[in-house]
Amino acid sequence: MTEFIATIGLEVHVQLKTRSKMFCACAVEYGAEPNTNVCPVCLGMPGALPVMNAEALQLTALAGIMLGCEIGPVCKFDRKNYFYPDMPKNYQISQYDQPFCLGGHVPLHDLAYPKDAQKSIATPDKKVRLVRIHLEEDVAKSFHMETATGIDFNRAGTPLLEIVGEPDIASPEEAFAYLTVLQQVMIYGGISDADMEKGQLRCDVNVSVRPVGTEKFGTKIEVKNLNSISGVRRALAYEIPRQIEVLRSGGTLQQETRRWDDARGETSLMRIKESAHDYRYFPDPDLLPVKTRDLVAAASSRKPELPWEKRARFVSDFGVSDYDAAVLANDLDLASYFESAARAAKKPKNVANWILNDLQSALSSTGALIRECPVPPAALDELVNLIDNGTINSKQGKEVFAEMFSSGKAAATIVQEKGLKQESDAGAIEAFVDQAIEAHPGPVADYKAGKTSALNFLKGQVMKLSKGKANPALAGEILEKKLT
Ligand code: ADP
Ligand code: MG
Ligand code: ZN
């Protein structure tokens, strides 16, 4: 049976995080009363003149810099002509042959893949190349009701990036990773909040299949209406086998646009592409070409550390594992919490463990954000120090942490109040060890006969006798000494 491979290329639209629209002063505001943020420019009234939003231009340059694109000395805006009810000018201001950014790439990393796929990554450290990034205005939003359609022009004219990827993606999981990284870059740069549920990041998926060993790409089918990254993965996981099945059963595929139905978990035909659209692009006579030099300089000065740079730095500066660094850098607030704790910590790796385990689970059980964490970074450092220097053991540490989280008290105060100090006095521990040996001759005999696991049982008894206060390492040492 012929084997097939898939080819995937994504076109991603990202809403820029600006206060005002692309060519007028109307506010960009999510969830505002429909048709309240409008003016003659964004309503497409004849004679109204567009004025470029400098911040949108700078954010586009920033996106290009962060993704390693080439930015030419001049870019320009063109009119893309077509008729649609949500676009009253009958053209969209976009960029055609001189887009803002060319080339660039999105570097995938293990943790960006879906959890269940992280162990079987086909091409680790893959880089997906970009074709271009251009800046355009968004159109209005249609609301289809039972018997009528309403149009909200609040979105019309808001600044939108289009990020076009090369068809370098080979699986639904890679598409998932690509979008995850792209989303993270947008958030890191403050370019967009990139929330797919809010439509701030939208994605059209192009996918084709071809027999293994052949060069020519198969017929490209476009899938629309995707509103989550996992939806993109599922749509591809449905669409690829569907296309292969058609070809295997002797059928042919035609260029078409399909709709993803998330609830049913399948794609269905929307329309057939009979011919390429002729948008009759031409330079917008109301907008002069843009010299990019100053914009690039301004954007460079606000370029943040990139997610992959942050991960590498966490590993080299703080000695955390690649995996922990990736989890910490996944969220900017979490990363900055870790960083302020780690900078002052004696053992940053131990601080990372506390953040990734106890702190994260306490936060998720209360539904709080890291920004609202009742335990500030310095207070966590103090707790970790008390454990590292043997004042309390790690089990006591958990008890202290829970109390810190609920009361906001300092670790040292809680240790004092609860009388939690770890017992590190050898004489005191020896007494508990003697009691444990006396009370459990069976396990003692087992241990002497070579059953090493019996030691753990005895150690547990010592801990119990000490009411959890004994220094566990010391208890183990003394036990071993007594038994040999
Ligand atoms: P169109 O002119 O139809 O918009 P483009 O060549 O501009 O097509 O490509 C649009 C998107 O489709 C790009 O992201 C590209 O990577 C992807 N693409 C192009 N050809 C294929 C193909 N044969 N299979 C899958 N994706 C493709
Ligand atoms: Mg296209
Ligand atoms: Zn306006």
Side-chain angles (χ1 to χ4, degrees), residues 7-11 164-167 206-208 217-220 273:
T7 297
I8 301 159
L10 305 189
E11 292 166 284
V164 183
E166 293 281 3
N206 300 279
V207 52
S208 62
F217 285 159
T219 306
K220 179 182 85 174
K273 268 201 180 168

Side-chain angles (χ1 to χ4, degrees), residues 178-245:
Y178 173 84
L179 286 169
T180 303
V181 174
L182 207 50
Q183 184 179 49
Q184 194 167 58
V185 169
M186 294 301 127
I187 294 170
Y188 260 59
I191 296 165
S192 172
D193 289 331
D195 184 340
M196 272 188 97
E197 266 174 40
K198 291 185 179 165
Q200 293 165 335
L201 189 152
R202 311 196 284 269
C203 169
D204 295 335
V205 170
N206 300 279
V207 52
S208 62
V209 299
R210 69 178 198 274
V212 170
T214 59
E215 284 294 315
K216 196 171 163 288
F217 285 159
T219 306
K220 179 182 85 174
I221 286 172
E222 186 177 20
V223 185
K224 287 193 181 286
N225 196 32
L226 296 142
N227 44 27
S228 68
I229 296 181
S230 60
V232 170
R233 180 192 187 191
R234 290 197 298 129
L236 284 165
Y238 173 87
E239 184 60 18
I240 295 167
R242 186 194 71 81
Q243 293 183 14
I244 294 173
E245 189 47 44

Side-chain angles (χ1 to χ4, degrees), residues 417-444:
E417 282 176 3
K418 297 203 162 198
L420 278 176
K421 277 213 159 78
Q422 169 170 264
E423 184 59 79
S424 291
D425 177 67
I429 294 178
E430 208 175 326
F432 292 130
V433 167
D434 289 340
Q435 276 183 53
I437 289 175
E438 167 112 30
H440 301 283
V444 170

Side-chain angles (χ1 to χ4, degrees), residues 24-211:
C24 63
C26 291
V28 175
E29 198 184 351
Y30 181 79
E33 182 76 10
N35 297 308
T36 51
N37 293 326
V38 291
C39 75
V41 174
C42 54
L43 286 172
M45 301 289 176
L49 287 174
V51 177
M52 285 178 223
N53 181 329
E55 173 68 0
L57 296 172
Q58 225 183 85
L59 289 177
T60 306
L62 182 58
I65 292 168
M66 291 179 77
L67 293 167
C69 306
E70 262 172 59
I71 300 178
V74 177
C75 70
K76 72 172 169 66
F77 288 99
D78 302 278
R79 291 186 178 182
K80 179 182 183 181
N81 298 281
Y82 63 101
F83 171 80
Y84 211 73
D86 61 16
M87 205 183 54
K89 298 196 297 290
N90 288 340
Y91 63 84
Q92 177 189 25
I93 305 177
S94 183
Q95 298 190 295
Y96 184 51
D97 54 347
Q98 272 175 275
F100 216 121
C101 315
L102 286 171
H105 56 261
V106 174
L108 310 188
H109 71 98
D110 293 9
L111 230 74
Y113 283 77
K115 271 212 170 63
D116 58 284
Q118 288 171 7
K119 292 242 147 55
S120 52
I121 294 170
T123 318
D125 300 318
K126 179 167 185 161
K127 285 185 174 169
V128 176
R129 293 166 304 150
L130 296 178
V131 178
R132 59 190 266 159
I133 302 177
H134 65 252
L135 178 56
E136 59 190 27
E137 57 175 344
D138 207 345
V139 295
K141 197 171 168 153
S142 301
F143 289 90
H144 301 291
M145 294 163 280
E146 219 164 304
T147 56
T149 292
I151 302 183
D152 178 9
F153 284 91
N154 285 351
R155 197 178 73 180
T158 56
L160 196 63
L161 283 189
E162 180 167 339
I163 304 173
V164 183
E166 293 281 3
D168 283 351
I169 298 171
S171 68
E173 290 67 37
E174 282 182 14
F176 185 103
Y178 173 84
L179 286 169
T180 303
V181 174
L182 207 50
Q183 184 179 49
Q184 194 167 58
V185 169
M186 294 301 127
I187 294 170
Y188 260 59
I191 296 165
S192 172
D193 289 331
D195 184 340
M196 272 188 97
E197 266 174 40
K198 291 185 179 165
Q200 293 165 335
L201 189 152
R202 311 196 284 269
C203 169
D204 295 335
V205 170
N206 300 279
V207 52
S208 62
V209 299
R210 69 178 198 274

